[in-house]
Amino acid sequence: MLLRLLTPLLLSCVALGAQDSADNLLVLTVATEETDGFRRFQRSAQCFNYKVKILGQEEEWHGDGQKVRLLKAALEQYADNEDLVILFTESYDVVLASGPAELLKKFKQAKSKVVFSAEAVAYPERRLEPKYPYVSEGKRFLGSGAFIGYASHLHKLVAEWDGDDETSDQLFYTKIFLDPVKREKVNITLDHRCRIFQNIHGSEGDVVLKFENGRVRARNMVYDTLPVLINGKGPSKLLLNYLGNYVPRVWTFETGCVICDEGLRSLSGLKTDDSFPLVVVGIFIEQPTPFVSEFFKRLSNLQYPKKRIQLYIANHETHHQKHVEKFLQVHSLEYNNVKYVGPEEALSNFAEARNAGMDICRQNPECEYYFSIDVQVVLKNSSVLRTLIEQNKSILAPMVSRNQDLWSNFWGALSSDGFYARSEDYIDIVQRQRIGIWNVPYITNVYLVKGSVLRKALSQYDLFHSGNLDPDMSFCDNVRRKGVFMFVNNRQSFGHILSLENYKTTHLHNDLWQIFQNIQDWKEKYIHPNHTLALKGKLIESPCPDVYWFPIFTETACDEIVEEMENYGQWSGGGNRVRSRYLAHSMLHSLCFYSTNPN
């Protein structure tokens, strides 16, 4: 399966000049399950033609000591091989940035039989820090996430291992390194200046992207080096995910997105509606929102078989009860199934409503995808569901933002306390100056999740609680902890997000007052699509002298203005006469002014 998905990538890497593998180099890694991080590692290795052997595929994960046990067993057959070079590395949080030729060259330049990565912090026991040899320049402490050496010497390195799977592998290697006799016997050194290995943890500020000649590398600014292997663990995974959006050969200024068409799931060959994947669509109304009727019209117009959609609608707002009921009255029988949770039976909180919606898909083995959408999202692209499914990602959000604003449904980075931080590429992604599929730490409002992911990696029911975080932040926090990647797609224009600021429900037709908050949506609902032709002298009729007919407002606008006036009071007469005329005059003046000044 993985090979089939990687076939297009191999072609793209070859086209960009992938290096031939070295016969005397073998990469060993441990992966007990196929995660998004593992697939990323595999892609980077395949891109440079590394020869990779995966250990532990049939095992359950117990702890870091398991890596040493598996390595020791794998090295038995190479105990006397003094020519073979073995790179041992983690896989879930690792990206290879260059090929075997550069790796072997830098290894041999180190003039040691075994080279470990180096870190900025002594781990796991800080008390051992004084025992480390002094270095005049570079990182001082051993990191066990990746190391390289001759097979025979690596065999000596792990020969004394007799620990259990829960034992710290890093502490085991650290004690060998800090013992002068053992260090000399195995001939170990550290990659102090990050020429081979870049451990991001504790050194996040050291690394930047370097774009050059259709390639992208991670550059260590402190030592001016280009590491071959990048390792990000703990909090530094977020920076690794950012770097992995570019390295290796993922996105460049010359090529754009290289991987966007890799591993797709095509729906074009499906001949009947029944053959389409079953999707549970979760719709959430959590506060008063303008243009809800238009939301349901777009939902009905999605280019996807309705009989393969199950609807879950969670509405916390009594004000929108009539909008939901009107939609269901007309369309509910068209869908595979509909579950509506109204304000009178609303779940205790927003998080619980979202947990319940997601669990509908999780508990149904036939559900292949869960599509969550908040009612303030305006999806103009009716093919959005098919497009997201075909990208074949664990979790994927269509990029939407507020009109003429940088407010969007994703964050490019997180601050140290887990809140919003602006990544270097955030503005370019929102403005679609860089187009692709982007691994990000936070998504909200609208996204697609694979049902298989919900039943495996995200099998816990309560994904929308995490400490004191809001439901959306809790969801993303739990997803990140499980090692599942969240992507945002800006390859197409999908729509935008409504502004909910200052939206009041004190009128009969509240959307009429959205002329300044959500101008584009207001115009589409109330201004006739041909109104600008009248400014060019077209579509103007004169049924009698000094009377002219031309389109300005939609029928909806005319109906709602009249209904609004009648609901307020009387057109004339009674005590409301002056006030009613003033209100009518003010509204019509605003409408007519905007209609005749569309720009």
Side-chain angles (χ1 to χ4, degrees), residues 482-518:
K482 294 296 184 180
V484 178
F485 290 168
M486 295 173 284
F487 294 91
V488 65
N489 179 357
N490 72 339
R491 299 183 72 189
Q492 301 177 28
S493 178
F494 292 103
H496 60 272
I497 305 173
L498 293 172
S499 172
L500 305 186
E501 297 173 5
N502 302 318
Y503 183 65
K504 297 185 170 117
T505 59
T506 54
H507 306 285
L508 178 64
H509 297 293
N510 301 283
D511 293 353
L512 282 169
W513 274 260
Q514 287 293 296
I515 184 171
F516 299 113
Q517 282 75 23
N518 293 288

Side-chain angles (χ1 to χ4, degrees), residues 109-143:
Q109 288 175 340
K111 297 181 180 179
S112 292
K113 301 299 183 181
V114 175
V115 179
F116 272 81
S117 63
E119 296 183 342
V121 179
Y123 178 85
E125 295 187 6
R126 294 292 297 271
R127 64 180 180 82
L128 296 177
E129 184 175 321
K131 297 185 178 181
Y132 271 88
Y134 170 78
V135 294
S136 59
E137 181 185 28
K139 308 295 182 185
R140 183 181 170 196
F141 308 109
L142 179 144

Side-chain angles (χ1 to χ4, degrees), residues 522 526-528 531 550-555 557-558 561 588 591-592 595:
W522 185 92
Y526 295 122
I527 300 301
H528 196 285
H531 79 283
F550 51 89
I552 296 181
F553 307 123
T554 62
E555 290 188 14
C558 297
I561 291 172
L588 290 173
L591 289 170
C592 293
S595 300

Side-chain angles (χ1 to χ4, degrees), residues 523 526-540 550-553 592-599:
K523 176 181 176 182
Y526 295 122
I527 300 301
H528 196 285
N530 294 329
H531 79 283
T532 56
L533 295 178
L535 303 178
K536 302 175 183 178
K538 301 178 182 180
L539 294 182
I540 299 178
F550 51 89
I552 296 181
F553 307 123
C592 293
F593 175 82
Y594 183 80
S595 300
T596 54
N597 297 271
N599 296 320

